[in-house]
Amino acid sequence: MWGREMSAADEAISTQDMIARRSRLLGPAYRLFYDQPVQFVRGEGVWLHDAAGNRYLDAYNNVASVGHCHPHVVQAIARQAAVLNTHTRYLHETVLDFAEKLLATFPHQIGHVMFTCTGSEANDLALRVARTCTGGTGFIVTANAYHGVTSALTELSPSLGLPRPDASHARLIPAPGSEANAGEVFARHVSAALEDMRKCGIKPAALLVDTIFSSDGVFADPPGFLRPAVEAVRAEGALFIADEVQPGFGRCGEQMWGFARHDLVPDLVTMGKPMGNGHPVAGMAARPELLAEFGRRSRYFNTFGGNPVSAAAGIAVLDVIESEGLMQNAQHTGDYLVKLLRQLKARYPLIAEIRSAGLFVGVELRHGGQTGTPATAEAARVVNLLRERRVLISSAGPQGNVLKIRPPLVFGTEHADLLVQRLDQALAEVNVTQEK
Amino acid sequence: MWGREMSAADEAISTQDMIARRSRLLGPAYRLFYDQPVQFVRGEGVWLHDAAGNRYLDAYNNVASVGHCHPHVVQAIARQAAVLNTHTRYLHETVLDFAEKLLATFPHQIGHVMFTCTGSEANDLALRVARTCTGGTGFIVTANAYHGVTSALTELSPSLGLPRPDASHARLIPAPGSEANAGEVFARHVSAALEDMRKCGIKPAALLVDTIFSSDGVFADPPGFLRPAVEAVRAEGALFIADEVQPGFGRCGEQMWGFARHDLVPDLVTMGKPMGNGHPVAGMAARPELLAEFGRRSRYFNTFGGNPVSAAAGIAVLDVIESEGLMQNAQHTGDYLVKLLRQLKARYPLIAEIRSAGLFVGVELRHGGQTGTPATAEAARVVNLLRERRVLISSAGPQGNVLKIRPPLVFGTEHADLLVQRLDQALAEVNVTQEK
């Protein structure tokens, strides 16, 4: 071993030791990415560096949305943490400045915001508000949705694969496809779920969807397909909750929120992951008439939610999105990336479909085109081959056959070039293996 | 107005403006402390500074447990935030160092720890584990308990005063008193709750208690009173979950955890508030055999939970507790404070009982001694009078008649002197008003 960097052999030993230690300390409920898990020690922009000194192109992590360790965010956190960190039962200007800046990104009908620490807490709060305001208990979610890890949300997160309770008030419907009449089909599923609730004596509370359908496999088109479903739900007195934890904060390009793509205004909007660029901050925005009712019947306090440090982190993230034009970049780089991916698709029949909005991209792998068999094993192989080639992506969809590409928003066209070049190599290697 | 400090009149206007702005932006579900809410702009050790430049003695905030803005914690956060902030699906040494250091504070039977961002998430995860491992759905909590704000926990947090669902699987029992046979009485209530569950066909999952019974009014004595109740629960195959979100991390003096006072080992332990001195970090420690079962049937991932920055903050807090001898200080200052409070009790018949463990102190106010009427209005008055005198405390208990004193653990005897001097003045003023 020479200098501070480890050899590959030393690194492998160190990784095995760390996995054993992790299992001993954290127990068996945690999962690691990759056949060969990776240890990162440093991050900067779109790059993550491992313990051996190698750098990886991050095309997966949406949390560090304005780039790993962005100095403006780091400084905001460090500065406020040194001055005061307290809770919302005292007055503090920073949480109000954050709320004002955040609400300015929403349609005027969304007038209040409440702060939590995680997207799970935000979605769980939205369930409470929806139940309180509608008197209903029924929720409609998509068949491979993920909305969080609290007791109430695991039932609404079928992607976790947990057993469903017998008298569940959740109704699962197929995610929209990308066909031209996707809106009509999706609304039909929603109406069937509402009808089933009626039969079971369940009053509906809300339709809860991730507006980019990330864990269902990324479905963005045609724009507006959510509208008929939302109309059907509202006709029954239930609410529409837009889960923006993944699509929000400019990732989908051009607009700040995923629901904007569908030209509608949600009743409740939840947000999280990129909100503090890694600092635990999340929240729920709402139509004021709903919180008026919720406030009459309930109250909310989250010890760490909306504290001055979290608020400072959140303000800094909004600053960077604006000052660095990251929404525009998400659109620009996203378009460029999809153009390159379409060129790959022409060469690799395994690529059945490319779906995207801005820098949220799904590449569906199937044997035999769009109606063929899901190429689940191949998708996992591609993800692991890219890790070997130091590019980070993941997979999604009920069969895990959709490559999920979701990089920090500072991703440039040069990074898209590198990603597609390595993806080309990985797909070629998968092809060779198949031909053997 | 002279220099940077505001006059009292300007401050009052600024406060009213800020309250209006807050209501407009955050909505009506939030609450503020005090008849005259206070705006803090800076914190240091046991002091909080308002916008007009006045300093307040903090005898209430348990989150900033090692002192507001402790430089060791602030530096740990700033340093790690600048290097890397990512999640537990990659390997990282800091979360393991934190887990190891934290687990070393527990009895050997507690072998794993899982990380969340808030105490609510930790308690909610404990519910999931208890349900999964026992197959039960019934939980026993005390009548004015608070365990968190998720959908599942609001049902187990009667202190929130929300309507309870019809077919609730929660059973509420009276909090233990401080009588000599408190353990026997409490165990009887637990057994009755188990019997009632049996009648209703509900399989019990766990007894969940805050080991200092904070919102029930602070009950610490006699040590060991929890043991018979825990035995009764275990005899039915259910678990004991120790909620250490408030009593934990050395607050109760001499020992790190509230359950240690009762000489027993919980099945699951949840922790939060002081864990990162204000940084959103929380967790659940567990007996490995339980997580073995949970890991077989379920899995857990919390995007921000156990990230390197949170872990660095948590390590720094443990460092400070140890290096500054804060457990010993909690015991020493707590004993000194209680001695002074007993002297006040001799002079003010309104003080019916003083209960404490380390720096967790409850002062119960009643008219006519221990069996008299709860002095609810007087307790609220004392809290507000102390705020006018720039000392922060709060109240607890089902009737709100217990003064809750729960300062940062760097509270010294000189701070106890000041607190008791101001409390003396406040009680005198309450007495005068009563005589009028």
Side-chain angles (χ1 to χ4, degrees), chain B residues 8 41 79 86 123 155 165-166 173 200 228 259 270 278 301 339 342 367 395:
Chain B
V41 297
R79 197 183 308 120
T86 188
N123 276 327
E155 200 188 323
D166 293 337
I173 58 170
C200 299
F259 65 76
T270 58
F301 175 66
K339 195 186 70 186
R342 291 202 192 289
H367 299 288
S395 62

Side-chain angles (χ1 to χ4, degrees), chain A residues 21-22 24 29-30 33 38 43 83 87-91 97 100 112 115 118 121 124 151 273 300 303, chain B residues 21-22 24 29-30 33 38 43 61 83 88-89 91 97 100 112 115 118 121 124 151 273 300 303:
Chain A
R21 189 175 170 223
R22 178 177 150 112
R24 177 168 57 81
Y30 280 90
F33 277 150
V38 57
V83 173
H87 53 78
T88 53
R89 278 173 173 159
Y90 305 125
L91 292 163
D97 292 344
E100 196 154 64
H112 295 320
F115 295 105
T118 67
E121 287 191 328
D124 198 292
S151 301
K273 296 192 195 292
Y300 190 76
T303 301
Chain B
R21 188 175 172 225
R22 177 179 152 111
R24 178 168 57 80
Y30 279 91
F33 278 149
V38 57
N61 286 294
V83 173
T88 54
R89 277 171 173 161
L91 292 163
D97 292 344
E100 196 155 63
H112 294 323
F115 294 105
T118 68
E121 287 191 328
D124 199 293
S151 301
K273 296 192 194 292
Y300 189 77
T303 300

Side-chain angles (χ1 to χ4, degrees), chain B residues 36 57-58 131 163 198 282 288 334 373:
Chain B
Q36 296 291 325
L57 177 66
D58 187 355
R131 282 200 204 95
R198 207 175 297 124
T373 329

